[in-house]
Amino acid sequence: MPWLMGYPILYRGDCDGQGFDILDQLRGQQPQARSFMMDWEGASGHLDMAVPEDTKARVTRAMIRLTEGESRLRDWLSAQHLFLEQERLPRQAIRVLLAGTDVDIRH
């Protein structure tokens, strides 16, 4: 989708193999894509909400387009056989992090 190249893209997916795989592939087409609460800084305070990872969601291929913080979170969760569902994250924490971005949070 070349028409998206001029627009910011914010991706928020589950912190599991499939979620990080989607992010990595998205950046292959849209390098401007940023993740939201999918890196160590954004999600590490909520690791107590992680649940056992479904083995079907495990993706072991190298993901070269992840940032250092995203890779750190992916590696830690994978080593623990856990994943973090975005739906489990507290809405207030999401609002606080969004307030530091250029995303309109009025809706």
Side-chain angles (χ1 to χ4, degrees):
M1 290 186 246
W3 61 272
L4 282 174
M5 288 301 287
Y7 296 95
I9 297 173
L10 189 63
Y11 174 73
R12 179 179 172 227
D14 286 340
C15 296
D16 63 359
Q18 292 176 345
F20 286 114
D21 188 42
I22 291 168
L23 175 60
D24 186 67
Q25 291 183 48
L26 173 61
R27 285 199 180 125
Q29 299 295 318
Q30 304 294 330
Q32 78 277 19
R34 296 181 298 163
S35 70
F36 179 69
M37 292 192 84
M38 292 185 71
D39 63 359
W40 187 259
E41 182 180 335
S44 63
H46 308 289
L47 295 176
D48 59 322
M49 297 177 185
V51 296
E53 181 180 32
D54 182 347
T55 56
K56 295 175 191 171
R58 191 164 293 147
V59 178
T60 58
R61 75 169 184 82
M63 297 183 196
I64 60 173
R65 296 175 199 92
L66 299 183
T67 66
E68 183 178 330
E70 292 160 352
S71 291
R72 181 177 177 197
L73 180 62
R74 176 188 177 226
D75 292 345
W76 188 90
L77 288 167
S78 181
Q80 307 300 317
H81 304 289
L82 297 172
F83 83 104
L84 188 57
E85 291 178 300
Q86 289 290 341
E87 295 85 2
R88 293 181 176 267
L89 298 173
R91 289 184 187 199
Q92 185 56 32
I94 294 168
R95 289 182 193 276
V96 167
L97 285 175
L98 277 175
T101 71
D102 55 356
V103 176
D104 183 355
I105 61 172
R106 291 178 287 174
H107 302 283

